[in-house]
Amino acid sequence: MKSQKRLNVFALLIALVTGYKCYVHFNFTTFSFEKPVLDTLYLIAFLFAVGVLLKDFFTFQKKEEN
């Protein structure tokens, strides 16, 4: 019986919201953020959520190969 790959919806939602906020607050002409401290927290949360999504994806592939 094959197990289906599940998407971590919680991490995906966090990645979408924080990534969008980083994109909106970033000024592309001066390459700076509107609120540097808050946007740094958004960026850290975005990278953490993407890391969780990638970790889940690669660990699922390893389990499937065995």
Side-chain angles (χ1 to χ4, degrees), residues 8-27:
N8 191 343
V9 178
F10 186 68
L12 180 65
L13 183 65
I14 290 174
L16 288 175
V17 170
T18 57
Y20 175 74
K21 284 294 185 181
C22 282
Y23 177 75
V24 168
H25 288 181
F26 189 70
N27 186 353

Side-chain angles (χ1 to χ4, degrees), residues 38-60:
L38 182 62
D39 292 328
T40 302
L41 289 174
Y42 283 149
L43 189 60
I44 291 169
F46 173 73
L47 292 175
F48 179 74
V50 169
V52 167
L53 287 170
L54 289 176
K55 182 186 75 82
D56 289 346
F57 180 73
F58 286 121
T59 56
F60 178 77

